[in-house]
Amino acid sequence: AAGVIQSPRHLIKEKRETATLKCYPIPRHDTVYWYQQGPGQDPQFLISFYEKMQSDKGSIPDRFSAQQFSDYHSELNMSSLELGDSALYFCASSREPGQSSYEQYFGPGTRLTVT
Amino acid sequence: GDSVTQMEGPVTLSEEAFLTINCTYTATGYPSLFWYVQYPGEGLQLLLKATKADDKGSNKGFEATYRKETTSFHLEKGSVQVSDSAVYFCALSDYGGATNKLIFGTGTLLAVQP
């Protein structure tokens, strides 16, 4: 079965650089979530999109932005990177909330290292 | 706000031992409850879920029952294997509310020794 695809899997950037993470949801899933997991931490919700509109926002820094495109893939753009942004970034997808099949399926994550 | 509290690890067990990882939650609505597992170097995999009170989720020998009266969703397995070694996250989602973001507990590292 098709899974959530994230690219790149690993990314190394220097401070003050920018990074773009991509997420391709499971086919027919219209909702995308982004989470950040610091070393030894639990995943923290950043932002979500439903039908290409932002549906919720969590602890996402102003330096980060995201969007969902017409094909439902999503991109997380991170600017002015800081050392503390080093983390594993997960994307998850689901069908429309409220459906009985609702579950969030996670991608393998993108490991971002800021040096 | 909503939150999840789970027992701290690491939990170290011998193979075939009984496993319990405690999880309690605080929520204003009627959340769905989940257990996710994260193997070393991998992403999060849904292990089991329960969407209403008294529901029992089960998968791969793991079980958890949604207890509204005690606001708990403890994970159990009768006989663990070395391959069960991983980090286990309890999580809740305000199913059907304005947002369906997952709120995770801090995770419990399980190490099973042969």
Side-chain angles (χ1 to χ4, degrees):
Chain A
V4 176
I5 298 171
Q6 291 187 247
S7 68
R9 293 293 308 278
H10 302 273
L11 191 57
I12 300 174
K13 291 286 186 178
E14 295 187 355
K15 283 194 304 183
R16 293 179 289 278
E17 286 192 320
T18 61
T20 297
L21 280 54
K22 297 184 178 182
C23 169
Y24 298 86
I26 293 171
R28 293 184 297 282
H29 281 194
D30 49 22
T31 305
V32 169
Y33 304 81
W34 286 96
Y35 294 86
Q36 178 191 56
Q37 185 180 28
Q41 305 293 313
D42 56 294
Q44 294 289 319
F45 171 72
L46 292 178
I47 195 167
S48 64
F49 293 87
Y50 166 60
E51 282 292 344
K52 292 151 280 184
M53 298 288 290
Q54 181 180 307
S55 55
D56 197 5
K57 192 173 180 180
S59 50
I60 183 170
D62 292 340
R63 300 177 288 108
F64 294 7
S65 65
Q67 57 182 321
Q68 185 180 33
F69 295 85
S70 58
D71 63 351
Y72 295 104
H73 94 272
S74 177
E75 295 184 4
L76 177 65
N77 298 294
M78 310 159 71
S79 63
S80 302
L81 287 169
E82 302 174 356
L83 295 177
D85 296 328
S86 295
L88 197 52
Y89 290 83
F90 287 110
C91 171
S93 74
S94 74
R95 292 182 180 172
E96 175 187 359
Q99 297 297 317
S100 60
S101 57
Y102 165 75
E103 284 177 12
Q104 288 187 32
Y105 293 85
F106 282 76
T110 294
R111 184 169 297 281
L112 172 66
T113 302
V114 181
T115 63
Chain B
D2 294 357
S3 66
V4 175
T5 302
Q6 61 181 103
M7 65 186 287
E8 293 188 14
V11 174
T12 302
L13 296 174
S14 297
E15 208 165 21
E16 299 183 3
F18 183 84
L19 168 70
T20 299
I21 300 178
N22 290 336
C23 171
T24 57
Y25 68 91
T26 302
T28 53
Y30 300 93
S32 294
L33 301 174
F34 306 83
W35 277 100
Y36 280 85
V37 58
Q38 186 175 32
Y39 297 101
E42 297 187 11
L44 293 161
Q45 299 178 26
L46 178 64
L47 181 59
L48 54 83
K49 69 173 183 179
T51 58
K52 61 182 187 296
D54 299 326
D55 267 2
K56 176 185 282 188
S58 61
N59 185 27
K60 299 180 181 179
F62 291 89
E63 293 183 340
T65 301
Y66 190 143
R67 302 285 188 198
K68 192 169 184 290
E69 64 275 14
T70 55
T71 62
S72 65
F73 193 55
H74 304 321
L75 182 68
E76 296 181 337
K77 186 175 186 182
S79 176
V80 294
Q81 305 300 312
V82 172
S83 57
D84 294 327
S85 298
V87 179
Y88 292 81
F89 290 96
C90 184
L92 68 80
S93 172
D94 187 11
Y95 174 78
T99 174
N100 287 281
K101 66 186 181 204
L102 288 171
I103 296 172
F104 289 89
T106 51
T108 302
L109 173 63
L110 170 65
V112 180
Q113 299 176 338

